[in-house]
Amino acid sequence: EDQVTQSPEALRLQEGESSSLNCSYTVSGLRGLFWYRQDPGKGPEFLFTLYSAGEEKEKERLKATLTKKESFLHITAPKPEDSATYLCAGRASNDYKLSFGAGTTVTVRA
Amino acid sequence: DGGITQSPKYLFRKEGQNVTLSCEQNLNHDAMYWYRQDPGQGLRLIYYSQIVNDFQKGDIAEGYSVSREKKESFPLTVTSAQKNPTAFYLCASSTTGEYGYTFGSGTRLTVV
């Protein structure tokens, strides 16, 4: 069974304090590792897709990386507007469905 | 603008009542999905459809039903058999290629 596990569950940061979120996966023949951002009461918003180990993608203060067993979302010098829940999901090679982790809720204090 | 529209945003259900959540997309996506989100848990798949007039059960289909009569529409009915329906429901769509989902804005269902 495909599994995606995110840690930590919650992360409180001071503005400017860089940190990383972890996503561990066991997905059969991974055909994409996805990161989403979700604000309270809203639907998730797509951030990145990573396909192969060693791949990296960046968007503003966010950088996602992928290894054979994990993905990391690095937040560099975060601002209060980066406060959100970040979701990780994996797609298996023989499927269209995504398996989601429970998310990491990030709070950035000014 | 292309996107997914979920309605209503808030829905209240009485005990023993069936309710239907609407999901419409104009992205020309083939596949559509319904997920349930509870606090502290990941998104759990209820039903999905890869083509019109065909759909499959997800991990937590009991107490729910769907239809896919049009490519653009994938309504979800929460039946009285669903004993704990209070949750945030998310609809999503995707192409059948190497891409992720586009999500709607969600419907929050509360039992009163």
Side-chain angles (χ1 to χ4, degrees):
Chain A
E1 184 181 328
D2 297 332
Q3 270 200 320
V4 177
T5 304
Q6 293 187 245
S7 63
E9 290 184 13
L11 191 60
R12 294 176 65 87
L13 301 172
Q14 200 66 33
E15 185 173 4
E17 178 189 1
S18 301
S19 190
S20 295
L21 285 56
N22 177 266
C23 172
S24 300
Y25 65 89
T26 52
V27 175
S28 176
L30 186 76
R31 203 178 80 186
L33 189 291
F34 301 83
W35 283 97
Y36 288 85
R37 170 191 169 125
Q38 185 177 24
D39 293 308
K42 297 188 177 180
E45 178 186 327
F46 172 78
L47 292 173
F48 304 109
T49 310
L50 302 166
Y51 293 106
S52 56
E55 189 174 359
E56 298 183 353
K57 289 195 177 172
E58 286 188 68
K59 179 180 181 180
E60 295 181 1
R61 295 175 293 281
L62 302 177
K63 183 169 81 172
T65 61
L66 183 66
T67 72
K68 288 187 177 180
K69 293 186 177 181
E70 298 175 296
S71 179
F72 295 92
L73 184 66
H74 308 278
I75 309 178
T76 302
K79 297 182 177 182
E81 53 262 42
D82 294 322
S83 298
T85 296
Y86 292 87
L87 300 172
C88 169
R91 168 178 279 159
S93 61
N94 59 348
D95 212 343
Y96 300 120
K97 306 188 304 295
L98 298 184
S99 298
F100 283 86
T104 295
T105 299
V106 175
T107 305
V108 183
R109 296 165 290 174
Chain B
D1 277 345
I4 298 183
T5 301
Q6 288 188 243
S7 62
K9 188 172 177 64
Y10 299 98
L11 187 57
F12 298 91
R13 193 193 92 166
K14 295 180 181 179
E15 295 284 349
Q17 191 178 47
N18 293 355
V19 292
T20 298
L21 285 59
S22 171
C23 178
E24 304 274 336
Q25 56 101 356
N26 62 2
L27 299 165
N28 200 34
H29 284 172
D30 292 310
M32 297 186 75
Y33 313 81
W34 276 105
Y35 282 86
R36 170 179 171 143
Q37 188 174 36
D38 296 282
Q41 297 194 40
L43 275 65
R44 293 183 290 166
L45 183 64
I46 305 172
Y47 269 98
Y48 64 103
S49 168
Q50 296 177 359
I51 195 169
V52 175
N53 293 322
D54 188 40
F55 48 83
Q56 286 78 40
K57 293 182 179 180
D59 300 318
I60 57 165
E62 186 175 349
Y64 300 97
S65 66
V66 293
S67 63
R68 186 88 187 276
E69 297 176 1
K70 298 186 301 182
K71 187 176 184 177
E72 301 79 15
S73 178
F74 192 40
L76 174 73
T77 296
V78 184
T79 74
S80 58
Q82 172 48 241
K83 297 307 178 188
N84 184 24
T86 295
F88 190 52
Y89 290 86
L90 286 162
C91 179
S93 70
S94 73
T95 65
T96 52
E98 302 284 337
Y99 304 107
Y101 296 168
T102 300
F103 282 91
S105 56
T107 293
R108 185 164 300 282
L109 174 62
T110 304
V111 174
V112 296

